[in-house]
Amino acid sequence: MPTPSAALPFTDYIARDATALAELVRSGDATPAELLETAIARAEAVNPQLNAIVTPLYEQGRVMAEQSPNDKPFGGVPFLLKDLEFEWSGTPMKSGSRGYQNYVSSADSEVVKRLKAAGLVFFGKTNTPEFGLTPYTESKLYGPARNPWKLTHSPGGSSGGSAAAVAAGIVPAATASDGGGSIRIPASCCGLFGLKPSRARVTLGPRFGELWNGAVVGHAVTRSVRDSAALLDATAGPLAGDPYGIAPPERPFVEEVRREPGKLRVAFSTQSLMPSQTTDAECSKAVQETVKLLESLGHTVDEIPLPYEKTIVTEAFFLNVLSETAATLRELGHYLGRPARRDDVELNTWAQARLAEGFSATDLAFQKRRWNSLNRTMGQLHETYDVFLTPTLPRPPIAIGTFQNTASEQRLLKLVDTVGGLKYLNGSKMVDELAERSLGYISFTVITNMTGQPSMSVPLHWSPDGLPIGVMFAAKLGDEATLFRLAGQLEQARPWFDKRPAI
């Protein structure tokens, strides 16, 4: 194994994004090994408090640093992979689950190959909830990831470990994936930039063609907009056999960041999707302040009611989650060589899979057809407006444990694990209440997972107690360019790069 090198001073490291660190390597002012040792030292200093990195792979990282090409876009830059979907050959990928605690990837996923080709140096896997099923990161296997801005609070999920590591300065960027908000939610909670690309922009191959009926897409959380754009340039593009196609961008996304967005037509809403919930005043304030900023930049902004209603989430998307959870457990059974058992996974995961058994194939097909009505509604909205602005989340970052089961919910989930319980619960008010509670937190983000549109969380607001609060923009399918141009303008107008937690 390579001998550890001297480290770059952390003050020099944290002052640069991934693009600037790569420039430092290209100029000869730092080596990949020096950058990596700085990242490792930072991880050793703060990870015991954050639990962001769950699988340190320092020696593998040192080998990569020794071999890193300096002439690549991110040559020598330290990087972390989310412990879900991103396969790195020869390393563990547990997906936050006891069932996969002995799994080791036999090959790289295509995106990981492309990230390697861009020169990035991997040295660990980041914390994620079991199978990425929750918008907070508190798996039984790993324990909770913690938010660097306030350690009693969640960094969000499911890419919470990645976001915590980036916000704490361990790395300038890390992989993330998003099936209901899991790039944008942790970006919002941790004061980062997080863009969910359009469906089909980034391949999930070769292991997966699609996940969650096309709702899932992978990318990254970053401190700067240009890093996000350059990473997407490095990873975007199809792989033979992908189930969807999308037109390639007109020019590299990193060029869009430097282009003026022009005068955009912006619609916005802070209306809560769930009748039983209200949008927190600070989240509404974040949007209202963004509206003023947009108007000062010359954009036209109109307030509109939410163009969709709650059952598109609590019925159409909820059944998607249940059925995909059941499929995940069947896939786990294939890996284990026997049917998955109750003690292989967490109670909530098991109960979701069991609850799926109370629905029919007809139910799933019918609810999936409802996604089309949402696609048409949002398509019509974007015939009038370039972007749609909402809060990223209906409330500020939550305290760890906020969404853990109450005693009554625990009894309800155990009831699901009986044949009589399934029959009783299917179509009941309790299922609707469970869906509303579990999906209410992601009610803004999940819409663009269903439509496939690109969407981004931008860190433009902090609460009085110092917690980040993101605002979210969506554009029409395939139009990441508009989002990157707008994000570049907002980053210049209200910089956030130097806002860092005290940890």
Side-chain angles (χ1 to χ4, degrees):
M1 292 293 178
T3 302
S5 301
L8 182 77
F10 181 68
T11 51
D12 293 340
Y13 179 81
I14 194 66
R16 293 171 169 84
D17 65 358
T19 301
L21 288 174
E23 291 169 355
L24 206 62
V25 171
R26 277 194 295 275
S27 68
D29 292 323
T31 67
E34 289 170 339
L35 297 187
L36 178 61
E37 293 309 318
T38 302
I40 290 173
R42 181 62 174 169
E44 291 290 283
V46 300
N47 197 57
Q49 300 170 72
L50 298 176
N51 195 27
I53 300 172
V54 292
T55 307
L57 297 165
Y58 298 162
E59 293 308 316
Q60 291 91 330
R62 287 177 175 128
V63 171
M64 287 189 76
E66 288 290 323
Q67 300 170 351
S68 178
N70 294 2
D71 59 342
K72 301 298 182 181
F74 292 109
V77 175
F79 199 69
L80 294 167
L81 299 177
K82 180 180 178 180
D83 189 40
L84 181 70
E85 296 157 12
F86 296 93
E87 301 252 14
W88 179 12
S89 181
T91 67
M93 190 179 75
K94 302 178 185 180
S95 302
S97 177
R98 292 189 296 267
Y100 280 113
Q101 59 185 325
N102 296 317
Y103 179 87
V104 175
S105 296
S106 59
D108 291 342
S109 62
E110 179 62 24
V111 164
V112 168
K113 289 180 182 179
R114 295 174 185 182
L115 292 168
K116 283 183 176 180
L120 290 157
V121 173
F122 314 149
F123 67 102
K125 296 286 190 77
T126 61
N127 202 343
T128 186
E130 186 166 60
F131 305 128
L133 289 173
T134 62
Y136 49 93
T137 303
E138 300 174 25
S139 74
K140 301 298 183 187
L141 178 66
Y142 292 140
R146 297 183 179 276
N147 193 322
W149 294 90
K150 194 172 186 180
L151 294 175
T152 55
H153 281 56
S154 174
S158 63
S159 309
S162 288
V166 175
I170 297 173
V171 286
T175 59
S177 53
D178 193 315
S182 294
I183 291 173
R184 293 156 292 159
I185 291 169
S188 178
C189 292
C190 292
L192 305 174
F193 180 75
L195 180 132
K196 179 195 82 68
S198 295
R199 182 175 298 152
R201 184 66 73 196
V202 179
T203 183
L204 294 170
R207 181 176 175 184
F208 301 109
E210 65 170 15
L211 288 169
W212 289 24
N213 283 296
V216 172
V217 65
H219 185 38
V221 285
T222 63
R223 289 175 60 207
S224 72
V225 176
R226 68 176 183 174
D227 278 356
S228 181
L231 283 166
L232 191 54
D233 285 330
T235 58
L239 183 66
D242 282 352
Y244 304 109
I246 193 170
E250 183 178 342
R251 60 183 65 85
F253 291 120
V254 75
E255 292 183 14
E256 300 291 1
V257 178
R258 299 189 291 267
R259 293 171 65 90
E260 289 295 321
K263 183 176 181 179
L264 298 178
R265 301 162 299 168
V266 182
F268 82 95
S269 179
T270 60
Q271 177 188 341
S272 174
L273 184 63
M274 304 297 175
S276 63
Q277 302 176 14
T278 57
T279 302
D280 184 270
E282 280 299 319
C283 297
S284 293
K285 182 180 178 182
V287 171
Q288 295 291 346
E289 289 184 349
T290 302
V291 166
K292 293 177 183 176
L293 177 60
L294 291 167
E295 290 175 334
S296 74
L297 294 169
H299 305 299
T300 300
V301 187
D302 296 325
E303 184 171 11
I304 64 170
L306 284 180
Y308 37 81
E309 51 88 30
K310 78 155 192 163
T311 62
I312 200 71
V313 173
T314 59
E315 294 178 8
F317 190 74
F318 188 54
L319 185 50
N320 181 57
V321 173
L322 298 182
S323 63
E324 288 289 321
T325 303
T328 295
L329 293 201
R330 182 171 293 186
E331 185 178 54
L332 172 61
H334 281 286
Y335 162 70
L336 294 173
R338 56 165 174 79
R341 296 192 292 251
R342 166 68 189 85
D343 59 357
D344 291 322
V345 295
E346 297 175 16
L347 172 61
N348 289 38
T349 303
W350 184 257
Q352 285 184 189
R354 293 285 286 134
L355 188 55
E357 297 170 13
F359 295 88
S360 68
T362 302
D363 294 329
L364 178 61
F366 173 74
Q367 292 297 348
K368 184 60 172 69
R369 289 187 180 193
R370 292 185 64 198
W371 290 33
N372 178 62
S373 66
L374 180 61
N375 291 340
R376 304 303 171 182
T377 296
M378 295 305 290
Q380 290 168 7
L381 182 148
H382 286 291
E383 288 182 351
T384 303
Y385 296 101
D386 299 299
V387 294
F388 182 39
L389 165 66
T390 65
T392 305
L393 292 166
R395 56 198 291 189
I398 56 172
I400 290 169
T402 295
F403 286 133
Q404 292 301 314
N405 299 334
T406 64
S408 61
E409 287 167 342
Q410 197 80 352
R411 288 193 296 271
L412 172 64
L413 293 174
K414 289 179 178 178
L415 177 63
V416 169
D417 194 23
T418 68
V419 174
L422 288 170
K423 183 177 180 180
Y424 173 64
L425 286 171
N426 188 3
S428 74
K429 182 181 178 183
M430 282 191 289
V431 171
D432 185 64
E433 290 173 349
L434 179 64
E436 186 166 328
R437 183 177 184 273
S438 63
L439 298 176
Y441 191 57
I442 67 171
S443 58
F444 289 115
T445 55
V446 71
I447 298 303
T448 54
N449 294 95
M450 298 174 74
T451 62
Q453 297 168 243
S455 175
M456 64 181 183
S457 182
V458 186
L460 296 179
H461 186 74
W462 269 255
S463 69
D465 57 350
L467 287 171
I469 296 175
V471 295
M472 188 173 71
F473 296 87
K476 66 183 179 182
L477 183 66
D479 194 17
E480 290 93 339
T482 291
L483 294 182
F484 278 126
R485 288 195 294 266
L486 176 59
Q489 184 184 54
L490 294 172
E491 187 178 37
Q492 290 293 316
R494 191 171 292 173
W496 61 77
F497 187 84
D498 290 331
K499 288 181 178 287
R500 296 197 296 272
I503 188 171

